[in-house]
Amino acid sequence: MIVWINGAFSAGKTSAAGELVDLIPNSTLYDPEVTGAALRTLLPQKRLAEVTDFQDLPIWRRLVVDTAAALLAEMPGVLVVPMTLLRQEYRDEIFGGLASRRIPVRHVALSPEETILRGRIAGREEFPGDAEQSERVRRWAYEHIGAYRDALGWIAQDAYVVDNGPLTPRATAERIADAVRTGSAMPCPIVQSPEPTAETVAAGVLLFDEEDRVLLVDPTYKPGWEFPGGVVEPGEAPAQAGVREVAEEIGLRLDRTPGLLLVDWEAPRPPGFGGLRFLFDGGLLRSEDAGRLLLPGSELRGWRFVTEQEAAGMLPPTRYERLRWALRARERSTVLNLEAGVPVG
């Protein structure tokens, strides 16, 4: 299990985490800042210059998941992780990766009043003897207060919130330990199938509105939008897998077997194993039916009908290429065979 302590910079996460490992038996502290610091020495300066925060590096988010899983495999028990996560899509990606490894996360957020937060930032002395560097860190923390305020909406819905303004680090840790023990801090509801260990077969279904726009859904457990669909189970026909996934994901039961638009072979790219990807035409979804779509909050955050041009800015490149060729196949009433997103044969 992981107890992830979130909150603004200077909210008191690290000091509370240090106390918490003394209160929870068989617990270990992992600070992802250490991973970020390592990347500053491992990556070339050209790559580091492209981002302003190491959280924006996909490798950091992947390594946080891998490191947490490795630590728990080495030292089973509870992993206490003090780390600010103010971008929901990063929370989705990291917690989704942990969920794929069947590691439950209890998300706790420290939320002192802003005046108290500002006072703590003013008192930070990150680099004793280097006033200029310490002031740079304080300015950086002040600049992120706005992002913290903006994130409070989704954090409050997802996490167990502790107002630790009047609390000492020890008292804060005691509050968290009690919430974990009693179940007040519930496991984060993000769920995901285990990561594959070999090539997989997956089926997606394209649904269209009366303006011929295509339906995309926003998963909570990975970045980027997606088509309704998922992995084909052993012994299951791909088209039926698509029908099942549409019913499970958006509560819509298709009244016919969808027609095949394309098959795409996805090349293995570590850590992914690739495999076959089917896209089917689910047909027209009338406005009255769209109004009855249901989203399981643990897996999907939202849905939208979009044009092909809009989809280009929402889908990861591989999935967008698959959509682009599926739309061409639909226009021509044909079926396309793709390899790595490129038609062949």
Side-chain angles (χ1 to χ4, degrees), residues 102-251:
R102 293 295 189 260
I103 300 173
V105 179
R106 296 182 186 254
H107 189 191
V108 177
L110 304 185
S111 183
E113 292 289 339
E114 186 172 326
T115 53
I116 294 176
L117 184 61
R118 288 182 175 276
R120 290 178 179 174
I121 294 173
R124 289 182 69 145
E125 193 67 30
E126 295 288 326
F127 299 91
D130 190 339
E132 182 178 348
Q133 183 70 351
S134 293
E135 179 58 27
R136 189 178 299 115
V137 172
R138 284 193 289 269
R139 285 200 306 270
W140 186 82
Y142 283 130
E143 290 169 358
H144 282 75
I145 290 178
Y148 159 69
R149 284 197 302 263
D150 294 341
L152 278 178
W154 71 261
I155 289 176
Q157 295 177 358
D158 182 78
Y160 179 82
V161 179
V162 176
D163 178 3
N164 66 320
L167 302 178
T168 64
R170 183 70 178 189
T172 302
E174 290 172 347
R175 182 79 61 84
I176 296 172
D178 185 65
V180 172
R181 178 181 58 81
T182 61
S184 298
M186 298 286 290
C188 188
I190 289 180
V191 296
Q192 188 181 13
S193 301
E195 289 193 347
T197 57
E199 290 187 347
T200 57
V201 177
V205 178
L206 302 184
L207 295 161
F208 299 88
D209 70 358
E210 288 147 336
E211 298 177 34
D212 217 29
R213 297 176 300 178
V214 65
L215 178 72
L216 298 183
V217 294
D218 185 11
T220 61
Y221 52 84
K222 62 181 175 181
W225 289 66
E226 180 61 283
F227 328 111
V231 174
V232 179
E233 296 179 351
E236 186 177 31
Q240 291 307 311
V243 171
R244 173 182 55 77
E245 288 285 349
V246 167
E248 292 177 359
E249 289 190 352
I250 57 177

Side-chain angles (χ1 to χ4, degrees), residues 16-25 27 80 170 173 177:
E19 298 283 354
L20 188 60
V21 294
D22 291 334
L23 297 174
I24 298 180
S27 61
V80 178
R170 183 70 178 189

Side-chain angles (χ1 to χ4, degrees), residues 277-309:
R277 308 292 180 250
F278 292 81
L279 267 187
F280 295 92
D281 184 355
L284 174 66
L285 185 60
R286 299 188 181 280
S287 55
E288 57 267 26
D289 296 323
R292 292 195 292 269
L293 293 184
L294 301 174
L295 296 179
S298 60
E299 294 187 27
L300 299 178
R301 184 167 45 237
W303 59 270
R304 282 177 59 186
F305 282 106
V306 300
T307 64
E308 181 178 347
Q309 183 177 7

